């Protein structure tokens, strides 16, 4: 931080400016080896977040930077998310990639988060939108990793 701003560093968060803060993880569901931390949970409890993405952002962020950001995630879900899946919007209209989550950090000033992957997203057999209800993938959705991997269409878990 520039010397000029150093005296103000402690009061900036009080007025809502967090631009000079280094993000700290609010959840770290995966260890570096890609193995989920052991926590007992019911089988049907969601552990995967599916995020919609347009082509350019998907290629640049999801595939290029191994991260996805500006996601609204309910506070109770933060420690539960172990995987992130990418739903590509038109023209693809399918979930095509999944990655394990290394950590989740605050992003911006509006209660959104950045999900950082523990490894590059892996391509999976496409899970098409199919006949899911209109609007089903306009925002993040939660499911279990097992349901996602067994789904034939988006309707199977929404």
């Amino acid at each position: 931080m520039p010397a000029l701003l150093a005296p103000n560093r402690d009061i900036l968060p009080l007025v809502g400016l967090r631009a000079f803060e280094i993000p700290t993880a609010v959840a770290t569901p995966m260890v570096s080896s890609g193995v989920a931390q052991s926590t007992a949970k019911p089988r049907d409890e969601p552990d995967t977040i599916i995020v919609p993405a347009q082509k350019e952002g998907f290629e640049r962020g999801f595939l290029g930077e191994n991260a996805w950001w500006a996601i609204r995630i309910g506070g109770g879900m933060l420690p539960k998310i172990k995987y992130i899946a990418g739903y590509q919007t038109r023209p693809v209209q399918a979930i095509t990639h999944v990655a394990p989550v290394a950590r989740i950090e605050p992003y911006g000033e509006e209660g959104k988060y950045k999900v950082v992957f523990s490894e590059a997203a892996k391509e999976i057999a496409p899970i098409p939108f199919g006949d899911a209800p209109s609007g089903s993938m306009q925002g993040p959705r939660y499911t279990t990793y097992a349901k996602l991997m067994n789904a034939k269409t988006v309707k199977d878990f929404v």
Side-chain angles (χ1 to χ4, degrees):
M1 174 177 287
L4 178 65
L5 294 177
N8 298 317
R9 180 185 64 225
D10 296 333
I11 63 166
L12 291 175
L14 297 175
V15 295
L17 183 62
R18 301 189 183 290
F20 299 107
E21 291 182 358
I22 298 171
T24 56
V26 293
T28 52
M30 301 294 282
V31 294
S32 59
S33 66
V35 179
Q37 294 176 355
S38 61
T39 56
K41 67 179 185 75
R43 265 194 108 139
D44 290 336
E45 188 172 305
D47 62 357
T48 303
I49 187 167
I50 304 159
V51 294
Q54 294 179 0
K55 180 180 172 71
E56 181 182 322
F58 183 79
E59 291 173 354
R60 183 176 43 84
F62 208 92
L63 299 179
E65 296 185 30
N66 296 327
W68 195 249
W69 48 92
I71 309 169
R72 289 201 187 277
I73 302 173
M77 288 302 298
L78 289 170
K80 298 175 185 175
I81 296 172
K82 309 281 187 257
Y83 300 94
I84 183 167
Y87 171 83
Q88 294 190 62
T89 59
R90 291 182 190 265
V92 177
Q93 289 189 284
I95 297 167
T96 59
H97 290 74
V98 66
V101 173
R103 66 185 180 278
I104 302 172
E105 305 170 345
Y107 181 82
E109 305 294 325
E110 298 160 11
K112 295 182 181 180
Y113 296 93
K114 177 180 181 178
V115 176
V116 180
F117 311 164
S118 61
E119 59 188 59
K122 295 201 178 356
E123 190 169 2
I124 60 172
I127 302 169
F129 186 82
D131 59 349
S134 178
S136 294
M137 290 306 307
Q138 289 185 355
R141 295 288 177 256
Y142 303 106
T143 189
T144 65
Y145 183 77
K147 283 182 184 176
L148 178 69
M149 292 294 103
N150 290 318
K152 301 293 183 228
T153 70
V154 168
K155 188 177 182 178
D156 294 341
F157 54 80
V158 291

